Amino acid sequence: MHFEGEHLLPGQIGHFFVLLAFVASILSTIGYFTASRTADTLLKASWIRFARISFRTQVFAVMGVFITIFYICSHHYFEYMYAYKHASLELEPKYLLACIWEGQEGSFLLWTIWHSVLGMILIRKSKDWEAPVMSVVSLAQFFLLMMILGIYFFGVRIGSSPFTLTRNEIEGPIFSMPNYLTFIKDGIGLNVLLRNYWMVIHPPILFLGFASTIIPFAYAYAGIQTKRFGEWIQPALPWALISAAVLGTGIMMGGKWAYESLSFGGYWAWDPVENASLVPWLILIAGLHTMAIYKATGHSLRASYLFAILTFVFILYSTFLTRTGILGDTSVHAFTEAGNAMNIMILLFLAAFAVPMLVLYLRNIKKIPAEQKEERTDSREFWMFIGSLVFFLAALFIIAKTSVPVYNKIFGTKIAPPEKIEISYNKVLIPVIIIIGLLSAVTQYFKYKNTPASYILKKIALPTLLAAVITTLLAIYYPITYYKQGAGFLGAIYVALFAAIYSVIANAAYIWAGLNGKLKAAGASVAHVGFALLLVGILISSSNKKVISNSSVNGINLQVGKDPMTKEQDDPTENLTLIRQVPTKMGPYEVTYLRDSLGNEKGRRFYELQFERKDAVTKKMLEHFTLWPDVYLMKDNNMSSNPDTKTYLTKDVFTYISYAISDAAKTDTTKFKIKELAEGDTAFYSNGYMVLDAVVKNPENGKYHFKPTDAALMASVTLFSKDSMHYKAGPVVLIDNFGVNHIDDTVYAQNLFLRFEGVTDGKKIKLGIKESDKIIDFITLKAYIFPYINIVWTGLILMAIGLVMSAIRRAKLSSFYAAVALLFVGAALFYMFLFAN
């Protein structure tokens, strides 16, 4: 059968590129692996040339796959399942890239692209390490490309192709018709929660971080395979530093996206997907420090191997957790069930790298050089190793809790998550912050091998005193107000705050005193300052986060759902119900729900909230701004809420809609009843009465601005309700070139609509009165004040810059390239986190 309107050529080209890339990845893996095992110089060079040609062919084909998918989605070829599921006609062009990596296939492709880019760099820079290192990268490409292969092998589909046709994937009577495309008017489109600036840049950065972790892993393999057990640290360390900077930035970009687009009420919720990406980063940080120890003293080489291996293994494990559907019930943004065949391939990917590499490591562990002399407790390397161990143990704790659904699946248990998820993590990790803060403050003042106690005490005395003074001043003038878990936990937060502040001051002082202001050598200290600032920002913004949407101001308590961040039943007293056009007190502001409007996407509605802050005595306007939180209303009045935020230097006002009524509930069937009134006359309605005060010609007031030459009349009406409240209304009738126009007025608090219908012969006016039978227009809002949240983003920027500085120094780049790289990284991060919306 010939199907009308199908564009089959792009799909055929795309599928050809997938097959070409897959075959080329096999050939490059064979070529590099054989070269790494060949002693003959000429034969080795021949295999490397073959492997390079194969890898470059694979890179070309992968780029062809991406371009083809982009072409299909941008042209809305809904005959392809991928375009139908992820693109739509109303999707803004800037989100076309996001719709590509929304799906499983596109995100695997993104990962493959980054491996391709990194592989091309390694071919140029890795020198005699190229063969063993690139054999690992090429093998990873083989598995990633297998995920998007989409071919059948003995009746089993291998991978999921982004070029499958919709008619082959969905059953339905229209797909047996030649003109089935005429019935497909639009695609499903990008998930509304992903239509955000951050989802265009967050996944590429995060996947670059994921992809880059394979390089220290590959160098560790190369070190064992070539018996050059300690030499791999030198080329691997700069890559590990870059990887830590990129992956950490990618993770926090996800936090920024969640903060701006999800109703978490924050930037971190201990969601399993967040945890799965955090764990490899923590292990990578541990590995960075053990690599630095080895470079300086020869200690911790075995630990460096282990951490480099486990970093990438846990990247693959996080892929298993987030892509197989096993977290579906516990995470708000994991992929749904991928299918048994895909699940098996992901497990094979994990097993193919984890099992052989760990076996290889354990078989050679005794051959890996280790210093026989134990580190002294007064040496820098001892405390650096303790810090690495703390990071590693924290990672194991987080992944153990995150993996509960895996235990349940394997053993058939029904272990439930803790009632208070956030607290269950924080109670363990607050002590971790204390230890890491103190260690990062003091350790740099120690010298390698040994350090006199008097030297250390002299160096840390002033930073210790300053940190204590600052923490005390904060406790007095800006105390921590997190009282939920009692005095003991509050005290632990203060100690953690002291440790973080101590680390900021001590590392800043070390740049000046310990390094004599030499910024080239200050990468580690800058990274420590940034990390410590990040911790300070987290502690203050999370502990002193204040809910200002108190329902006691109007006494309306509506039952709302679970808090998206704590997973607990949300407190209705912390959700303020706003009736349309009725100003309501909320914290230091007076908030008015003015109106709502439809978004471009079906079911999406934006709510205009006017915030005003006035002087309590003079009533002078001090501040005025508008926020537009929105919701995505679905069937059965379920909804997904997207927040809006007013950002200041020292705080954020964070708002989201916790309840809104659907359009169906707004249907109104009542009609206007006409009353004839003269000035001073009274008319009654069910909840009170109204008085016609005056008829005003061409009114000029806060609501209307008519010129003297206009032909407009306004009925000035005062309403008196049974609860002794007074309301003003002013419906208008206007005569212009287009005829008679009625500008109705609405008293939302009374669910009352007024219309100026006209004038009678007896000089009375006709006033239309409609008491609506629809649900009164209202929303329920939750609002926080996040204090000093910009410290979080500033700390992240400094940490990333410090890691890049260290990588540049370790890689021995020229001053010009180093300056350009730092300028670019700093400017990009500064813009994205502090100015982007």
Side-chain angles (χ1 to χ4, degrees):
M1 180 184 294
H2 174 71
F3 293 95
E4 299 172 7
E6 286 188 334
H7 303 81
L8 299 181
L9 183 60
Q12 293 166 351
I13 293 172
H15 192 58
F16 167 75
F17 278 135
V18 171
L19 292 173
L20 177 61
F22 181 69
V23 172
S25 70
I26 296 173
L27 296 177
S28 64
T29 302
I30 294 170
Y32 276 123
F33 183 77
T34 306
S36 70
R37 298 277 173 165
T38 302
D40 184 272
T41 305
L42 292 176
L43 188 58
K44 184 185 186 79
S46 177
W47 275 111
I48 287 177
R49 282 195 299 271
F50 170 77
R52 285 176 176 176
I53 292 170
S54 299
F55 190 83
R56 286 165 179 158
T57 302
Q58 175 260 128
V59 171
F60 169 77
V62 164
M63 295 306 174
V65 174
F66 179 80
I67 291 168
T68 307
I69 293 177
F70 183 83
Y71 179 83
I72 288 171
C73 290
S74 63
H75 284 76
H76 306 112
Y77 290 164
F78 297 132
E79 57 266 41
Y80 293 98
M81 189 65 184
Y82 204 79
Y84 176 71
K85 285 175 64 177
H86 304 293
S88 57
L89 296 173
E90 40 80 26
L91 189 66
E92 296 175 67
K94 64 182 178 181
Y95 296 132
L96 276 172
L97 289 174
C99 87
I100 292 175
W101 43 70
E102 178 192 27
Q104 291 262 32
E105 301 90 337
S107 56
F108 277 126
L109 178 62
L110 181 60
W111 194 347
T112 308
I113 289 171
W114 282 127
H115 271 176
S116 299
V117 172
L118 294 171
M120 294 298 288
I121 297 171
L122 285 168
I123 287 172
R124 288 180 58 87
K125 298 292 185 182
S126 56
K127 298 178 182 177
D128 56 338
W129 292 98
E130 180 183 348
V133 167
M134 285 301 297
S135 62
V136 174
V137 176
S138 296
L139 182 62
Q141 292 294 76
F142 163 77
F143 279 101
L144 289 170
L145 287 163
M146 187 170 62
M147 304 296 175
I148 62 171
L149 198 56
I151 63 172
Y152 283 87
F153 186 74
F154 291 108
V156 178
R157 187 161 76 172
I158 308 300
S160 176
S161 172
F163 303 109
T164 55
L165 295 172
T166 307
R167 57 180 163 86
N168 293 334
E169 297 296 314
I170 301 177
E171 294 184 4
I174 67 166
F175 295 110
S176 62
M177 302 169 64
N179 63 337
Y180 77 92
L181 279 175
T182 60
F183 297 96
I184 302 178
K185 305 298 183 184
D186 200 358
I188 296 172
L190 181 67
N191 186 318
V192 68
L193 294 178
L194 305 182
R195 300 183 189 194
N196 178 274
Y197 167 86
W198 288 103
M199 289 313 293
V200 179
I201 59 173
H202 157 57
I205 299 299
L206 185 65
F207 275 93
L208 175 56
F210 286 170
S212 63
T213 60
I214 199 173
I215 299 179
F217 177 96
Y219 272 108
Y221 161 78
I224 295 176
Q225 194 265 320
T226 62
K227 309 302 180 185
R228 297 156 67 184
F229 291 108
E231 296 177 40
W232 68 277
I233 296 288
Q234 176 73 28
L237 184 50
W239 283 106
L241 287 159
I242 290 292
S243 182
V246 174
L247 182 57
T249 301
I251 291 168
M252 288 308 294
M253 280 182 173
K256 185 74 167 173
W257 162 67
Y259 181 67
E260 291 187 3
S261 294
L262 301 180
S263 52
F264 274 179
Y267 41 83
W268 197 263
W270 295 113
D271 182 271
V273 172
E274 299 172 339
N275 297 350
S277 61
L278 177 64
V279 165
W281 184 81
L282 291 172
I283 298 174
L284 179 58
I285 294 298
L288 283 177
H289 288 83
T290 56
M291 288 181 194
I293 291 170
Y294 175 76
K295 285 278 292 176
T297 67
H299 286 286
S300 300
L301 181 57
R302 292 174 180 175
S304 298
Y305 268 104
L306 182 63
F307 293 149
I309 294 166
L310 290 182
T311 296
F312 187 63
V313 167
F314 275 105
I315 287 288
L316 298 181
Y317 181 64
S318 73
T319 302
F320 165 75
L321 288 179
T322 58
R323 291 174 181 274
T324 58
I326 201 165
L327 295 180
D329 295 332
T330 59
S331 173
V332 298
H333 47 228
F335 285 96
T336 54
E337 182 66 44
N340 289 333
M342 181 67 82
N343 291 350
I344 291 170
M345 285 191 296
I346 293 172
L347 277 172
L348 283 174
F349 189 13
L350 170 60
F353 280 80
V355 176
M357 190 61 187
L358 288 171
V359 169
L360 190 66
Y361 169 69
L362 293 173
R363 284 181 62 184
N364 288 274
I365 194 166
K366 291 184 178 179
K367 299 177 185 177
I368 298 172
E371 291 287 329
Q372 297 305 312
K373 185 180 179 181
E374 294 292 328
E375 301 101 323
R376 291 169 56 102
T377 56
D378 60 355
S379 66
R380 180 185 292 191
E381 60 268 27
F382 176 83
W383 294 109
M384 284 177 68
F385 183 78
I386 295 296
S388 298
L389 198 59
V390 171
F391 271 112
F392 181 57
L393 293 175
L396 292 183
F397 164 74
I398 294 168
I399 203 64
K401 286 183 68 67
T402 304
S403 298
V404 167
V406 180
Y407 314 148
N408 289 340
K409 189 84 170 179
I410 294 172
F411 302 110
T413 54
K414 295 182 179 179
I415 303 173
E419 185 178 346
K420 296 181 178 181
I421 293 175
E422 185 182 354
I423 293 301
S424 71
Y425 282 97
N426 291 347
K427 280 188 174 180
V428 174
L429 293 173
I430 286 291
V432 171
I433 290 175
I434 294 170
I435 297 169
I436 293 299
L438 294 174
L439 288 176
S440 62
V442 174
T443 300
Q444 288 199 85
Y445 288 96
F446 281 88
K447 296 178 180 180
Y448 286 111
K449 306 296 185 182
N450 63 83
T451 314
S454 58
Y455 174 85
I456 285 292
L457 293 173
K458 179 181 176 182
K459 292 291 183 180
I460 67 172
L462 183 58
T464 306
L465 179 62
L466 287 175
V469 169
I470 292 172
T471 306
T472 303
L473 291 174
L474 282 174
I476 295 171
Y477 296 105
Y478 188 69
I480 298 296
T481 56
Y482 192 88
Y483 304 120
K484 294 180 183 178
Q485 301 302 313
F489 192 73
L490 180 63
I493 292 175
Y494 270 115
V495 176
L497 184 61
F498 164 77
I501 293 170
Y502 187 21
S503 182
V504 173
I505 295 171
N507 279 281
Y510 184 78
I511 296 172
W512 181 256
L515 299 173
N516 298 317
K518 296 175 183 176
L519 285 177
K520 282 185 178 181
S525 296
V526 172
H528 288 163
V529 168
F531 183 66
L533 268 179
L534 179 71
L535 295 179
V536 170
I538 289 171
L539 289 167
I540 292 177
S541 64
S542 298
S543 299
N544 281 4
K545 179 177 71 174
K546 181 181 179 182
V547 178
I548 57 173
S549 48
N550 193 326
S551 67
S552 63
V553 299
N554 58 14
I556 303 175
N557 288 326
L558 292 180
Q559 190 67 37
V560 292
K562 290 186 176 181
D563 187 296
M565 189 168 188
T566 64
K567 311 296 190 296
E568 303 167 28
Q569 184 65 41
D570 205 357
D571 185 352
T573 64
E574 294 183 349
N575 292 263
L576 179 63
T577 297
L578 302 176
I579 298 172
R580 188 168 176 176
Q581 301 287 358
V582 177
T584 307
K585 184 72 173 173
M586 187 171 77
Y589 303 100
E590 187 174 76
V591 184
T592 307
Y593 160 35
L594 296 177
R595 63 190 177 98
D596 53 69
S597 59
L598 291 173
N600 294 328
E601 304 88 350
K602 183 179 179 181
R604 193 173 192 179
R605 187 175 290 275
F606 290 82
Y607 296 84
E608 183 180 5
L609 307 178
Q610 177 181 278
F611 284 70
E612 294 180 343
R613 185 167 62 90
K614 299 177 181 178
D615 186 277
V617 178
T618 65
K619 302 302 180 184
K620 180 183 176 182
M621 183 70 70
L622 301 177
E623 185 182 5
H624 176 278
F625 61 90
T626 302
L627 293 179
W628 288 87
D630 67 275
V631 300
Y632 187 67
L633 293 167
M634 297 171 280
K635 293 180 181 179
D636 304 322
N637 210 32
N638 289 323
M639 51 171 267
S640 174
S641 184
N642 303 308
D644 196 12
T645 305
K646 173 67 173 176
T647 299
Y648 300 86
L649 184 63
T650 59
K651 67 179 180 182
D652 278 5
V653 178
F654 178 95
T655 64
Y656 71 90
I657 307 297
S658 52
Y659 183 81
I661 55 177
S662 66
D663 290 338
K666 296 182 180 182
T667 304
D668 189 7
T669 58
T670 55
K671 297 181 179 180
F672 284 99
K673 295 179 180 179
I674 306 301
K675 301 284 186 179
E676 295 185 359
L677 301 174
E679 291 185 357
D681 286 353
T682 298
F684 290 89
Y685 67 102
S686 61
N687 197 41
Y689 66 94
M690 64 188 73
V691 176
L692 176 62
D693 297 322
V695 177
V696 182
K697 184 178 180 181
N698 296 328
E700 172 66 31
N701 52 36
K703 188 171 185 178
Y704 302 116
H705 303 282
F706 293 106
K707 299 189 292 291
T709 55
D710 291 329
L713 292 176
M714 182 188 77
S716 178
V717 179
T718 302
L719 291 89
F720 301 87
S721 66
K722 291 178 179 179
D723 55 3
S724 301
M725 297 296 291
H726 297 180
Y727 305 93
K728 287 286 187 180
V732 168
V733 62
L734 170 66
I735 301 173
D736 58 18
N737 295 333
F738 298 99
V740 178
N741 299 293
H742 300 285
I743 304 174
D744 300 341
D745 204 359
T746 307
V747 183
Y748 284 99
Q750 299 292 294
N751 233 19
L752 198 66
F753 298 80
L754 300 180
R755 173 176 291 178
F756 197 143
E757 291 281 6
V759 181
T760 68
D761 294 337
K763 295 186 178 180
K764 292 185 177 182
I765 71 162
K766 295 179 181 180
L767 186 65
I769 303 171
K770 181 170 74 171
E771 296 188 68
S772 178
D773 62 355
K774 71 174 183 178
I775 297 175
I776 192 170
D777 233 355
F778 72 92
I779 57 171
T780 301
L781 178 76
K782 190 160 189 177
Y784 300 92
I785 289 181
F786 271 100
Y788 299 100
I789 194 169
N790 280 332
I791 296 176
V792 175
W793 314 127
T794 303
L796 172 66
I797 293 168
L798 281 176
M799 182 182 70
I801 289 173
L803 288 168
V804 173
M805 287 171 64
S806 294
I808 289 170
R809 181 167 172 261
R810 297 285 182 177
K812 299 178 181 177
L813 292 182
S814 70
S815 298
F816 172 75
Y817 289 115
V820 170
L822 280 174
L823 185 63
F824 175 78
V825 171
L829 290 171
F830 190 74
Y831 170 76
M832 287 190 294
F833 280 96
L834 297 183
F835 290 102
N837 245 324

